[in-house]
Every structure is written in structure tokens, then in C-alpha cells.
Amino acid sequence: MFGNYLDSLVGLLLIVILGLFLRNPHRIGNFLTETQIEEFKTEGIVIVDNLLNEEELIVVTKELMKRVSGRPDDVRAEDLLNLHLNDSYILDLARHPNFLAAATQLLNHPRLRIFASRILCKLPGQSIEIPWHQDSSYWPLFPLKVASLWLALDDVTESNGAMDMFTFSDLPISRGKNLGVAQGEEVGADFFIKVETDDLPMEKMKKMTLKRGQAEFHDAYILHHSPENNSDRRRCAWIVRYIPDYVSIPKGSWRKMYQDDYPLVRLN
């Protein structure tokens, strides 16, 4: 009799566990190593390989370049912003299992939303310099917890506009703190918060060169900049800003482009 009772109890326990799993199937991924997760926590930047296989990378690059070629005449190739809001392919791409797995690990949360997406192409002879900035200065998110995926669609070199970046170890004052000191008028997505660079330890700056298909994730407080593309080769990237699903835009946002009705689309 006791054996039957124990079997029934075990069976009931398994049913309860299965029910809990089905109610909350979302789990933090396992794409990244513990070393990579710790590097992101410590430095604010981590380089990741093989988010896409070669076949996927070819298809993704072709699809994204179609959108660059077909952009309106008044839109720069650096500024294809938030296509995920009206383009199902772009939204599905942001949901790639490897992207989500890595982002859930870095954010330590199983359910994600997308804050913003961008196709950023520095075309030869047509690009602009991006000034020193922290993304955090421009984003009215609470709490400010973001992992930005930057996937290289081309080899990224010093000559075609690789980013200059400061890790948290090399610029400790930037960890969790906005360094902008002068704010101009907000005009679209342009940069309008000036960061003084006179006292920055420029000798510690990292040049973020990447191979085609490599990616880096960076924290919102990372200070970075990129020059013009002065080469004869394009430098294109796919960018997604992932946030935990508890992050929101408080009412009365000071940013014109991020108002109360700005959609934070759930990804999983």
C-alpha cells in the first residue's frame, strides 16, 4: 500500500512540475560560455562568434542589403531604423534562437522585448563620422538594462570605419554613469549630446575590428565613436537592442522619438 501511495505522490509531483513548465516555458539560453558572460559584466563588451552559420549569413546579408538598396532617397544608409515595426522578416531575424539565447544570458532574464533595431551601412565615400557617445544618454528606459547586438555583415577594419570603444575597465567612470555634458536640440535620430574628450585616456581606446559574421554585444553605458569609411569597401552591420520584458519607457518621456506609445515588441 505504501508503495502505491508513493508512486501516486511521485506521479502527482511530475504532473505539477510539467504544468509549471508549460505555463512558463521560457528559459535563459546557453549559447555563451560563463567566461563570456563574466566578460560582459566586467567590461561591458563581449565578442561572439558563430551566431549565424555561413548559409544563414549569406541569406541575412542579401535580405538586409535589399533594404539598404531600396531605402528612400532621404534616408542615409546608416539610418535604417526600427524596420522591425513594419517588416516581418526583420522582426523574425531579431528572434533568431542564437540571438535570443545570448541576449537572455547577458541580461539574465528569459523574456525579452526589442527596444530598437537598425541596419547601419557605412558605404565608401558616403558615410559620416559618429561622435563619441553613450547610448544610455539617449534612451529613456527604466531600468536602463540593454544588451546591444552588433553583427558584422562585412569585415570591419580600421580603414572602413571600425568603432572606437572604451571598456569599463579602461574608463571606470562610464560604468552606470552618463558622461554627456552639453545637450543640443533633438532632431530625429541624430546625436545631440556632446561628450568632452579632452580628459579621456585615448591610449586605452579599443578599435573594434571584426571578421564578417562576428558580433559584439555591448552595454548601454559603453562610450564609443566611429569615423567615416575612407576605404573602397562597405562596412555594414545589423544591430538589435534587447531589453528584459520588465523594462519600460516611463510616461512623459523627454525624448521626442520615444513617447508613451512607442512599441516595445515582445520577442518570446
Side-chain angles (χ1 to χ4, degrees), residues 176-211:
K177 179 181 178 181
N178 290 331
L179 304 181
V181 295
Q183 183 170 319
E185 180 183 357
E186 178 180 353
V187 180
D190 290 343
F191 296 93
F192 57 91
I193 299 176
K194 184 178 180 181
V195 176
E196 296 292 351
T197 59
D198 292 346
D199 296 327
L200 294 178
M202 291 305 210
E203 71 281 1
K204 295 183 178 181
M205 175 186 72
K206 300 285 194 305
K207 184 67 73 171
M208 184 54 68
T209 58
L210 296 168
K211 292 293 186 182

mmCIF file of all heavy atoms in Angstrom, residues 176-211:
data_model
loop_
_atom_site.group_PDB
_atom_site.id
_atom_site.type_symbol
_atom_site.label_atom_id
_atom_site.label_comp_id
_atom_site.label_asym_id
_atom_site.label_seq_id
_atom_site.Cartn_x
_atom_site.Cartn_y
_atom_site.Cartn_z
ATOM 1 N N GLY A 176 27.688 52.770 -15.547
ATOM 2 C CA GLY A 176 26.457 53.222 -14.900
ATOM 3 C C GLY A 176 26.296 54.720 -14.802
ATOM 4 O O GLY A 176 25.447 55.201 -14.054
ATOM 5 N N LYS A 177 27.079 55.490 -15.584
ATOM 6 C CA LYS A 177 27.015 56.949 -15.483
ATOM 7 C C LYS A 177 27.078 57.575 -16.870
ATOM 8 O O LYS A 177 27.934 57.214 -17.683
ATOM 9 C CB LYS A 177 28.170 57.473 -14.635
ATOM 10 C CG LYS A 177 28.192 58.991 -14.485
ATOM 11 C CD LYS A 177 29.374 59.448 -13.663
ATOM 12 C CE LYS A 177 29.422 60.975 -13.545
ATOM 13 N NZ LYS A 177 30.595 61.431 -12.761
ATOM 14 N N ASN A 178 26.191 58.535 -17.119
ATOM 15 C CA ASN A 178 26.221 59.268 -18.382
ATOM 16 C C ASN A 178 27.253 60.389 -18.313
ATOM 17 O O ASN A 178 27.281 61.161 -17.349
ATOM 18 C CB ASN A 178 24.851 59.853 -18.701
ATOM 19 C CG ASN A 178 23.842 58.785 -19.070
ATOM 20 O OD1 ASN A 178 24.197 57.733 -19.605
ATOM 21 N ND2 ASN A 178 22.576 59.033 -18.787
ATOM 22 N N LEU A 179 28.078 60.485 -19.354
ATOM 23 C CA LEU A 179 29.168 61.455 -19.363
ATOM 24 C C LEU A 179 28.845 62.699 -20.188
ATOM 25 O O LEU A 179 29.646 63.607 -20.252
ATOM 26 C CB LEU A 179 30.443 60.801 -19.918
ATOM 27 C CG LEU A 179 30.910 59.530 -19.197
ATOM 28 C CD1 LEU A 179 32.183 59.004 -19.844
ATOM 29 C CD2 LEU A 179 31.148 59.815 -17.710
ATOM 30 N N GLY A 180 27.696 62.728 -20.863
ATOM 31 C CA GLY A 180 27.351 63.886 -21.681
ATOM 32 C C GLY A 180 27.264 65.158 -20.853
ATOM 33 O O GLY A 180 26.676 65.164 -19.770
ATOM 34 N N VAL A 181 27.823 66.241 -21.342
ATOM 35 C CA VAL A 181 27.847 67.479 -20.564
ATOM 36 C C VAL A 181 27.103 68.626 -21.237
ATOM 37 O O VAL A 181 26.806 69.627 -20.604
ATOM 38 C CB VAL A 181 29.301 67.929 -20.284
ATOM 39 C CG1 VAL A 181 30.000 66.919 -19.396
ATOM 40 C CG2 VAL A 181 30.072 68.116 -21.581
ATOM 41 N N ALA A 182 26.808 68.505 -22.537
ATOM 42 C CA ALA A 182 26.134 69.594 -23.242
ATOM 43 C C ALA A 182 25.086 69.011 -24.182
ATOM 44 O O ALA A 182 25.406 68.189 -25.024
ATOM 45 C CB ALA A 182 27.145 70.427 -24.025
ATOM 46 N N GLN A 183 23.853 69.434 -24.018
ATOM 47 C CA GLN A 183 22.754 68.891 -24.802
ATOM 48 C C GLN A 183 22.224 69.930 -25.768
ATOM 49 O O GLN A 183 21.861 71.032 -25.374
ATOM 50 C CB GLN A 183 21.630 68.409 -23.884
ATOM 51 C CG GLN A 183 20.463 67.756 -24.618
ATOM 52 C CD GLN A 183 19.508 67.076 -23.660
ATOM 53 O OE1 GLN A 183 19.908 66.429 -22.707
ATOM 54 N NE2 GLN A 183 18.221 67.236 -23.912
ATOM 55 N N GLY A 184 22.190 69.567 -27.060
ATOM 56 C CA GLY A 184 21.635 70.451 -28.073
ATOM 57 C C GLY A 184 20.179 70.116 -28.327
ATOM 58 O O GLY A 184 19.522 69.450 -27.524
ATOM 59 N N GLU A 185 19.671 70.557 -29.468
ATOM 60 C CA GLU A 185 18.283 70.302 -29.818
ATOM 61 C C GLU A 185 18.142 68.923 -30.450
ATOM 62 O O GLU A 185 18.950 68.532 -31.302
ATOM 63 C CB GLU A 185 17.785 71.366 -30.801
ATOM 64 C CG GLU A 185 16.324 71.177 -31.212
ATOM 65 C CD GLU A 185 15.875 72.192 -32.240
ATOM 66 O OE1 GLU A 185 16.693 73.067 -32.589
ATOM 67 O OE2 GLU A 185 14.717 72.110 -32.682
ATOM 68 N N GLU A 186 17.131 68.190 -30.019
ATOM 69 C CA GLU A 186 16.876 66.871 -30.589
ATOM 70 C C GLU A 186 16.292 67.016 -31.985
ATOM 71 O O GLU A 186 15.248 67.637 -32.177
ATOM 72 C CB GLU A 186 15.918 66.080 -29.699
ATOM 73 C CG GLU A 186 15.585 64.702 -30.266
ATOM 74 C CD GLU A 186 14.624 63.925 -29.376
ATOM 75 O OE1 GLU A 186 14.325 64.391 -28.257
ATOM 76 O OE2 GLU A 186 14.182 62.850 -29.820
ATOM 77 N N VAL A 187 16.983 66.398 -32.960
ATOM 78 C CA VAL A 187 16.500 66.397 -34.341
ATOM 79 C C VAL A 187 16.543 64.960 -34.843
ATOM 80 O O VAL A 187 17.615 64.441 -35.165
ATOM 81 C CB VAL A 187 17.352 67.301 -35.257
ATOM 82 C CG1 VAL A 187 16.806 67.259 -36.680
ATOM 83 C CG2 VAL A 187 17.389 68.721 -34.725
ATOM 84 N N GLY A 188 15.406 64.305 -34.872
ATOM 85 C CA GLY A 188 15.345 62.924 -35.330
ATOM 86 C C GLY A 188 16.227 62.022 -34.504
ATOM 87 O O GLY A 188 16.247 62.087 -33.274
ATOM 88 N N ALA A 189 16.990 61.180 -35.218
ATOM 89 C CA ALA A 189 17.860 60.224 -34.533
ATOM 90 C C ALA A 189 19.302 60.711 -34.456
ATOM 91 O O ALA A 189 20.195 59.951 -34.091
ATOM 92 C CB ALA A 189 17.806 58.875 -35.258
ATOM 93 N N ASP A 190 19.550 61.966 -34.817
ATOM 94 C CA ASP A 190 20.915 62.490 -34.796
ATOM 95 C C ASP A 190 21.428 62.621 -33.365
ATOM 96 O O ASP A 190 20.662 62.734 -32.407
ATOM 97 C CB ASP A 190 20.974 63.849 -35.495
ATOM 98 C CG ASP A 190 20.777 63.738 -36.995
ATOM 99 O OD1 ASP A 190 20.909 62.622 -37.514
ATOM 100 O OD2 ASP A 190 20.486 64.764 -37.634
ATOM 101 N N PHE A 191 22.757 62.652 -33.250
ATOM 102 C CA PHE A 191 23.389 62.757 -31.934
ATOM 103 C C PHE A 191 23.460 64.230 -31.524
ATOM 104 O O PHE A 191 23.965 65.071 -32.263
ATOM 105 C CB PHE A 191 24.792 62.142 -31.986
ATOM 106 C CG PHE A 191 24.769 60.673 -32.272
ATOM 107 C CD1 PHE A 191 24.871 60.195 -33.567
ATOM 108 C CD2 PHE A 191 24.626 59.752 -31.240
ATOM 109 C CE1 PHE A 191 24.837 58.832 -33.828
ATOM 110 C CE2 PHE A 191 24.583 58.396 -31.491
ATOM 111 C CZ PHE A 191 24.694 57.932 -32.789
ATOM 112 N N PHE A 192 22.967 64.533 -30.343
ATOM 113 C CA PHE A 192 22.886 65.936 -29.927
ATOM 114 C C PHE A 192 23.396 66.153 -28.501
ATOM 115 O O PHE A 192 23.254 67.242 -27.962
ATOM 116 C CB PHE A 192 21.441 66.439 -30.045
ATOM 117 C CG PHE A 192 20.423 65.642 -29.255
ATOM 118 C CD1 PHE A 192 20.102 65.984 -27.948
ATOM 119 C CD2 PHE A 192 19.819 64.526 -29.809
ATOM 120 C CE1 PHE A 192 19.177 65.256 -27.214
ATOM 121 C CE2 PHE A 192 18.888 63.789 -29.083
ATOM 122 C CZ PHE A 192 18.564 64.155 -27.789
ATOM 123 N N ILE A 193 23.986 65.120 -27.888
ATOM 124 C CA ILE A 193 24.572 65.271 -26.556
ATOM 125 C C ILE A 193 26.087 65.184 -26.690
ATOM 126 O O ILE A 193 26.635 64.152 -27.090
ATOM 127 C CB ILE A 193 24.045 64.186 -25.596
ATOM 128 C CG1 ILE A 193 22.522 64.311 -25.441
ATOM 129 C CG2 ILE A 193 24.730 64.302 -24.230
ATOM 130 C CD1 ILE A 193 21.894 63.224 -24.599
ATOM 131 N N LYS A 194 26.763 66.258 -26.369
ATOM 132 C CA LYS A 194 28.206 66.331 -26.562
ATOM 133 C C LYS A 194 28.951 65.692 -25.389
ATOM 134 O O LYS A 194 28.613 65.912 -24.234
ATOM 135 C CB LYS A 194 28.639 67.791 -26.706
ATOM 136 C CG LYS A 194 30.122 67.969 -26.998
ATOM 137 C CD LYS A 194 30.469 69.443 -27.171
ATOM 138 C CE LYS A 194 31.956 69.626 -27.467
ATOM 139 N NZ LYS A 194 32.312 71.054 -27.615
ATOM 140 N N VAL A 195 29.948 64.901 -25.709
ATOM 141 C CA VAL A 195 30.830 64.312 -24.702
ATOM 142 C C VAL A 195 32.213 64.912 -24.885
ATOM 143 O O VAL A 195 32.812 64.802 -25.966
ATOM 144 C CB VAL A 195 30.896 62.775 -24.846
ATOM 145 C CG1 VAL A 195 31.901 62.192 -23.864
ATOM 146 C CG2 VAL A 195 29.522 62.158 -24.622
ATOM 147 N N GLU A 196 32.698 65.557 -23.858
ATOM 148 C CA GLU A 196 34.046 66.131 -23.913
ATOM 149 C C GLU A 196 35.079 65.009 -23.867
ATOM 150 O O GLU A 196 35.000 64.109 -23.030
ATOM 151 C CB GLU A 196 34.267 67.092 -22.741
ATOM 152 C CG GLU A 196 33.360 68.321 -22.752
ATOM 153 C CD GLU A 196 33.676 69.276 -23.894
ATOM 154 O OE1 GLU A 196 34.713 69.076 -24.572
ATOM 155 O OE2 GLU A 196 32.896 70.214 -24.108
ATOM 156 N N THR A 197 36.053 65.072 -24.767
ATOM 157 C CA THR A 197 37.055 64.002 -24.866
ATOM 158 C C THR A 197 38.458 64.433 -24.425
ATOM 159 O O THR A 197 39.376 63.617 -24.440
ATOM 160 C CB THR A 197 37.129 63.495 -26.314
ATOM 161 O OG1 THR A 197 37.485 64.589 -27.179
ATOM 162 C CG2 THR A 197 35.796 62.909 -26.753
ATOM 163 N N ASP A 198 38.607 65.680 -24.025
ATOM 164 C CA ASP A 198 39.944 66.187 -23.701
ATOM 165 C C ASP A 198 40.623 65.390 -22.603
ATOM 166 O O ASP A 198 41.846 65.188 -22.630
ATOM 167 C CB ASP A 198 39.866 67.666 -23.293
ATOM 168 C CG ASP A 198 39.473 68.570 -24.451
ATOM 169 O OD1 ASP A 198 39.526 68.099 -25.602
ATOM 170 O OD2 ASP A 198 39.096 69.732 -24.197
ATOM 171 N N ASP A 199 39.861 64.951 -21.630
ATOM 172 C CA ASP A 199 40.456 64.264 -20.481
ATOM 173 C C ASP A 199 40.333 62.742 -20.563
ATOM 174 O O ASP A 199 40.640 62.034 -19.589
ATOM 175 C CB ASP A 199 39.789 64.745 -19.184
ATOM 176 C CG ASP A 199 40.038 66.222 -18.924
ATOM 177 O OD1 ASP A 199 41.126 66.713 -19.297
ATOM 178 O OD2 ASP A 199 39.145 66.893 -18.367
ATOM 179 N N LEU A 200 39.902 62.222 -21.699
ATOM 180 C CA LEU A 200 39.764 60.768 -21.831
ATOM 181 C C LEU A 200 41.120 60.124 -22.091
ATOM 182 O O LEU A 200 41.959 60.682 -22.815
ATOM 183 C CB LEU A 200 38.819 60.428 -22.971
ATOM 184 C CG LEU A 200 37.358 60.825 -22.811
ATOM 185 C CD1 LEU A 200 36.565 60.450 -24.062
ATOM 186 C CD2 LEU A 200 36.750 60.160 -21.583
ATOM 187 N N PRO A 201 41.354 58.935 -21.537
ATOM 188 C CA PRO A 201 42.628 58.224 -21.767
ATOM 189 C C PRO A 201 42.623 57.547 -23.131
ATOM 190 O O PRO A 201 42.435 56.336 -23.251
ATOM 191 C CB PRO A 201 42.659 57.207 -20.622
ATOM 192 C CG PRO A 201 41.209 56.914 -20.353
ATOM 193 C CD PRO A 201 40.469 58.205 -20.602
ATOM 194 N N MET A 202 42.816 58.328 -24.189
ATOM 195 C CA MET A 202 42.687 57.822 -25.545
ATOM 196 C C MET A 202 43.626 56.661 -25.851
ATOM 197 O O MET A 202 43.362 55.855 -26.742
ATOM 198 C CB MET A 202 42.925 58.955 -26.548
ATOM 199 C CG MET A 202 41.816 59.991 -26.545
ATOM 200 S SD MET A 202 40.192 59.254 -26.822
ATOM 201 C CE MET A 202 39.315 60.553 -27.628
ATOM 202 N N GLU A 203 44.722 56.576 -25.107
ATOM 203 C CA GLU A 203 45.661 55.474 -25.338
ATOM 204 C C GLU A 203 45.064 54.123 -24.959
ATOM 205 O O GLU A 203 45.558 53.067 -25.373
ATOM 206 C CB GLU A 203 46.962 55.708 -24.563
ATOM 207 C CG GLU A 203 46.861 55.564 -23.050
ATOM 208 C CD GLU A 203 46.270 56.780 -22.350
ATOM 209 O OE1 GLU A 203 45.918 57.746 -23.056
ATOM 210 O OE2 GLU A 203 46.186 56.759 -21.112
ATOM 211 N N LYS A 204 43.959 54.136 -24.191
ATOM 212 C CA LYS A 204 43.305 52.885 -23.774
ATOM 213 C C LYS A 204 42.127 52.492 -24.669
ATOM 214 O O LYS A 204 41.522 51.442 -24.478
ATOM 215 C CB LYS A 204 42.825 53.007 -22.331
ATOM 216 C CG LYS A 204 43.956 53.164 -21.325
ATOM 217 C CD LYS A 204 43.415 53.211 -19.900
ATOM 218 C CE LYS A 204 44.544 53.315 -18.897
ATOM 219 N NZ LYS A 204 44.028 53.348 -17.496
ATOM 220 N N MET A 205 41.813 53.329 -25.621
ATOM 221 C CA MET A 205 40.695 53.082 -26.527
ATOM 222 C C MET A 205 40.936 51.807 -27.328
ATOM 223 O O MET A 205 42.049 51.523 -27.762
ATOM 224 C CB MET A 205 40.566 54.279 -27.458
ATOM 225 C CG MET A 205 39.561 54.187 -28.547
ATOM 226 S SD MET A 205 39.717 55.646 -29.620
ATOM 227 C CE MET A 205 41.271 55.282 -30.454
ATOM 228 N N LYS A 206 39.859 51.022 -27.519
ATOM 229 C CA LYS A 206 39.941 49.787 -28.294
ATOM 230 C C LYS A 206 39.334 50.006 -29.675
ATOM 231 O O LYS A 206 38.266 50.586 -29.805
ATOM 232 C CB LYS A 206 39.182 48.661 -27.586
ATOM 233 C CG LYS A 206 39.689 48.316 -26.187
ATOM 234 C CD LYS A 206 40.970 47.538 -26.228
ATOM 235 C CE LYS A 206 41.296 46.905 -24.874
ATOM 236 N NZ LYS A 206 41.350 47.815 -23.736
ATOM 237 N N LYS A 207 40.015 49.525 -30.707
ATOM 238 C CA LYS A 207 39.482 49.559 -32.064
ATOM 239 C C LYS A 207 38.741 48.245 -32.294
ATOM 240 O O LYS A 207 39.335 47.169 -32.278
ATOM 241 C CB LYS A 207 40.613 49.733 -33.074
ATOM 242 C CG LYS A 207 40.158 49.878 -34.502
ATOM 243 C CD LYS A 207 39.403 51.160 -34.756
ATOM 244 C CE LYS A 207 40.277 52.386 -34.765
ATOM 245 N NZ LYS A 207 39.546 53.603 -35.224
ATOM 246 N N MET A 208 37.421 48.315 -32.492
ATOM 247 C CA MET A 208 36.585 47.116 -32.571
ATOM 248 C C MET A 208 36.578 46.571 -34.001
ATOM 249 O O MET A 208 35.633 46.730 -34.762
ATOM 250 C CB MET A 208 35.153 47.435 -32.108
ATOM 251 C CG MET A 208 34.230 46.223 -32.071
ATOM 252 S SD MET A 208 34.852 44.826 -31.106
ATOM 253 C CE MET A 208 34.785 45.524 -29.439
ATOM 254 N N THR A 209 37.675 45.918 -34.378
ATOM 255 C CA THR A 209 37.728 45.249 -35.676
ATOM 256 C C THR A 209 37.089 43.867 -35.537
ATOM 257 O O THR A 209 37.266 43.184 -34.526
ATOM 258 C CB THR A 209 39.175 45.116 -36.168
ATOM 259 O OG1 THR A 209 39.950 44.394 -35.201
ATOM 260 C CG2 THR A 209 39.799 46.483 -36.394
ATOM 261 N N LEU A 210 36.333 43.484 -36.552
ATOM 262 C CA LEU A 210 35.622 42.212 -36.531
ATOM 263 C C LEU A 210 35.702 41.557 -37.900
ATOM 264 O O LEU A 210 35.774 42.233 -38.925
ATOM 265 C CB LEU A 210 34.142 42.422 -36.181
ATOM 266 C CG LEU A 210 33.805 42.978 -34.799
ATOM 267 C CD1 LEU A 210 32.334 43.390 -34.751
ATOM 268 C CD2 LEU A 210 34.112 41.969 -33.703
ATOM 269 N N LYS A 211 35.659 40.236 -37.891
ATOM 270 C CA LYS A 211 35.539 39.495 -39.132
ATOM 271 C C LYS A 211 34.063 39.399 -39.513
ATOM 272 O O LYS A 211 33.173 39.422 -38.653
ATOM 273 C CB LYS A 211 36.128 38.090 -38.971
ATOM 274 C CG LYS A 211 37.634 38.062 -38.776
ATOM 275 C CD LYS A 211 38.350 38.535 -40.020
ATOM 276 C CE LYS A 211 39.861 38.381 -39.888
ATOM 277 N NZ LYS A 211 40.569 38.891 -41.098
#
